[in-house]
Amino acid sequence: MTVWRLKKGADRRIRSGHPWVFTGELAHSAKEVAPGEIVELRTADDHFLAYGYAHPTSQICFRKLSSRSKEKDVLSVDFFQRRLQSAFEHRRAAGWSEFSHRWLFAEADGVPGLVVDSFLTSEQGWIVVVQASTAGMDKVLPNVFSALEELGTQRGGLTVVDAPSSKSRVMEGLKIGEKRVVFGQVRDVYDSDFRFLDDVSLRVDLAHGQKTGFFLDQQWNVHLLKQALKHSFKRPTTPVRILDVCCYVGQWGAHLAAALMSEGKTVEVTTIDTSEAALSFARHNVSRYAGGVEALCGDALEILGTLQPESYDIVVCDPPAFIKKRADLENGLRAYTKLNRDALKLVKPGGIFVGASCSGLVKAEDWRTVLCDASLKSGRVLRHLYLGGHGPDHPVRPEFPEGEYLKCFIARADVPF
Ligand SMILES: C[S@@+](CC[C@H](N)C(=O)[O-])C[C@H]1O[C@@H](n2cnc3c(N)ncnc32)[C@H](O)[C@@H]1O
């Protein structure tokens, strides 16, 4: 195994648990390794630090797989089985394993560059979507599939889909490709009903849908908002009106409608998205739970300007990541402010507003500023009901702040006092 040494004093971060090494921290060049090669990392004076995989041209030249010197079988089938098992136990302990959830979340679960999302079908067990975003993970995908096949047999069988769809693959010299079924029940991948939190059933096309097919990260925030609903809209005289901005397949609208309708309230949902394909799933999913559904296809900012101010009881605003690189920060924050300002104008005074951002480069403090500007400009005051973010299937590691990307402010929106 290739051995790399750090410069003197450059081991502090990795010793504190952080999983990355940058090229400037190495005592030598990173250029000699093959992309994804397993490397043993040592201090300047030759003490073992970690096993990981390396890349000769990436700025992050080493990603940690294990800090235990005895765990020499990193990236083997056994290694992936242990990581899958440990991740599963974490989710089970959190009560987050019996419905669709993220099974592996990259660095947080000890598998940098690898995401595994698992979806529970109504009749055919689990479908898991595997997404490798680095050369190190891409080359060992057969081991990931074998580990899943063995664990799947114990869980009654599962279908595995390879999703080479992450945009960051390009930086590692990898191609972006179509999703494909590796093994299992092909039929269910294209158009199936899956079971989510609180037994809500949503139809999704995992093969052609965005990212791994679904945005599992918002399920936690949906769960939080549902807690607030238990105490809101106690005696509505008219239907509860919900606006789901950037709805994808309508998970917010469907969940909120299901919760409110189960308490005997009538609900009308308006959904907005640029994707006609996503919107047709949203129409189907939301209409299963709500009394009325309106699906508006187009740019959210344009559509928001055409809607009646102060006409919705709940507005959820969950746009795509506006900021993908540092150079986008200023323009992206301005775009977030505008969108949230216009969405806030549509909330009835005393209604509920959800403002989310999945841009990792937007830090909690930036998000606070965006919401502050948006509420000032829309003539609203926001008081939080829940500060959302990552659920237990997208664990946050305190030593790895780079893994925390999702912010979600769930608030009551009043007129200023
Ligand atoms: C982060 S996803 C939203 C996820 C969704 N709210 C959920 O919880 O599943 C962003 C969505 O915004 C849509 N989108 C992208 N640009 C848009 C725009 N300018 N106007 C409206 N929707 C847009 C995408 O098609 C995608 O469905």
Side-chain angles (χ1 to χ4, degrees):
M1 190 186 299
T2 301
V3 172
W4 273 3
R5 284 180 188 79
L6 292 179
K7 286 179 183 159
K8 202 166 170 46
D11 55 329
R12 187 129 44 106
R13 209 183 54 256
I14 199 122
R15 276 191 196 281
S16 72
H18 196 276
W20 295 344
V21 172
F22 297 94
T23 40
E25 294 167 330
L26 283 183
H28 45 79
S29 162
K31 298 268 187 262
E32 306 301 315
V33 290
E37 187 176 324
I38 297 174
V39 161
E40 181 182 328
L41 188 72
R42 294 191 190 162
T43 61
D45 46 8
D46 219 26
H47 291 294
F48 174 84
L49 283 171
Y51 298 117
Y53 63 77
H55 198 285
T57 56
S58 169
Q59 223 205 338
I60 303 166
C61 60
F62 175 93
R63 292 171 199 257
K64 185 176 79 175
L65 294 163
S66 177
S67 49
R68 288 192 291 126
S69 59
K70 289 198 174 128
E71 197 171 27
K72 282 198 172 125
D73 64 345
V74 287
L75 300 182
S76 65
V77 176
D78 282 354
F79 166 85
F80 284 115
Q81 282 195 353
R82 291 195 298 275
R83 292 293 183 272
L84 282 161
Q85 197 62 46
S86 159
F88 176 70
E89 270 152 29
H90 171 77
R91 282 132 183 95
R92 184 167 55 188
W96 217 255
S97 64
E98 300 290 314
F99 48 84
S100 303
H101 62 278
R102 177 157 287 185
W103 189 352
L104 283 180
F105 180 42
E107 277 84 353
D109 288 307
V111 285
L114 184 68
V115 156
V116 174
D117 280 356
S118 65
F119 297 91
L120 183 57
T121 66
S122 301
E123 285 152 22
Q124 304 282 341
W126 294 89
I127 297 180
V128 300
V129 182
V130 177
Q131 193 179 53
S133 56
T134 58
M137 276 301 163
D138 194 67
K139 68 198 268 190
V140 294
L141 277 178
N143 290 352
V144 178
F145 300 148
S146 299
L148 282 167
E149 193 164 20
E150 258 177 67
L151 288 177
T153 310
Q154 295 162 27
R155 291 178 75 183
L158 44 82
T159 297
V160 170
V161 176
D162 178 20
S165 50
S166 160
K167 301 237 164 62
S168 45
R169 286 172 65 86
V170 178
M171 290 188 294
E172 295 259 330
L174 300 171
K175 289 206 174 87
I176 293 178
E178 299 289 310
K179 293 175 193 148
R180 71 178 175 100
V181 176
V182 182
F183 57 81
Q185 298 278 339
V186 179
R187 175 174 59 86
D188 288 331
V189 176
Y190 294 99
D191 192 353
S192 245
D193 287 337
F194 297 99
R195 281 172 44 204
F196 294 87
L197 171 75
D198 297 335
D199 235 358
V200 163
S201 180
L202 300 174
R203 183 160 294 176
V204 183
D205 177 349
L206 292 180
H208 303 106
Q210 299 178 26
K211 307 274 175 158
T212 59
F214 190 81
F215 295 92
L216 285 167
D217 52 2
Q218 286 294 11
Q219 205 168 203
W220 172 250
N221 297 310
V222 165
H223 164 70
L224 294 178
L225 177 49
K226 280 177 154 184
Q227 307 310 307
L229 291 191
K230 290 181 186 156
H231 311 283
S232 308
F233 314 114
K234 284 279 184 215
R235 280 180 292 279
T237 49
T238 53
V240 178
R241 299 195 73 218
I242 298 171
L243 178 63
D244 189 350
V245 184
C246 300
C247 63
Y248 189 48
V249 298
Q251 77 166 318
W252 285 90
H255 270 284
L256 303 184
L260 290 162
M261 299 280 278
S262 73
E263 291 183 19
K265 287 147 200 163
T266 51
V267 180
E268 287 173 0
V269 182
T270 302
T271 57
I272 301 176
D273 207 282
T274 39
S275 159
E276 185 57 76
L279 213 51
S280 74
F281 278 94
R283 201 181 286 114
H284 172 89
N285 288 328
V286 177
S287 63
R288 195 177 268 170
Y289 298 103
V293 185
E294 182 185 28
L296 305 175
C297 189
D299 176 59
L301 209 51
E302 282 175 23
I303 294 174
L304 292 183
T306 67
L307 301 176
Q308 179 73 29
E310 302 190 0
S311 59
Y312 292 92
D313 298 283
I314 305 174
V315 175
V316 177
C317 189
D318 180 25
F322 287 162
I323 299 164
K324 302 257 169 58
K325 51 187 189 310
R326 262 173 222 293
D328 300 339
L329 198 61
E330 206 175 310
N331 285 341
L333 290 177
R334 214 172 294 126
Y336 275 126
T337 305
K338 247 171 143 182
L339 187 69
N340 282 281
R341 175 201 66 191
D342 287 4
L344 265 164
K345 285 181 184 166
L346 304 177
V347 189
K348 288 183 193 168
I352 291 175
F353 177 74
V354 177
S357 163
C358 57
S359 296
L361 289 168
V362 175
K363 298 300 164 201
E365 214 34 54
D366 301 320
W367 193 236
R368 197 181 281 265
T369 306
V370 164
L371 294 174
C372 178
D373 288 353
S375 56
L376 266 176
K377 288 175 177 155
S378 60
R380 288 282 187 276
V381 285
L382 292 175
R383 274 179 289 188
H384 93 279
L385 295 159
Y386 292 95
L387 292 176
H390 286 230
D393 60 337
H394 290 67
V396 172
R397 298 266 301 260
E399 69 278 25
F400 182 54
E402 294 86 344
E404 195 172 347
Y405 67 93
L406 184 61
K407 295 139 303 278
C408 187
F409 198 83
I410 302 170
R412 197 182 138 95
D414 277 296
V415 287
F417 33 79

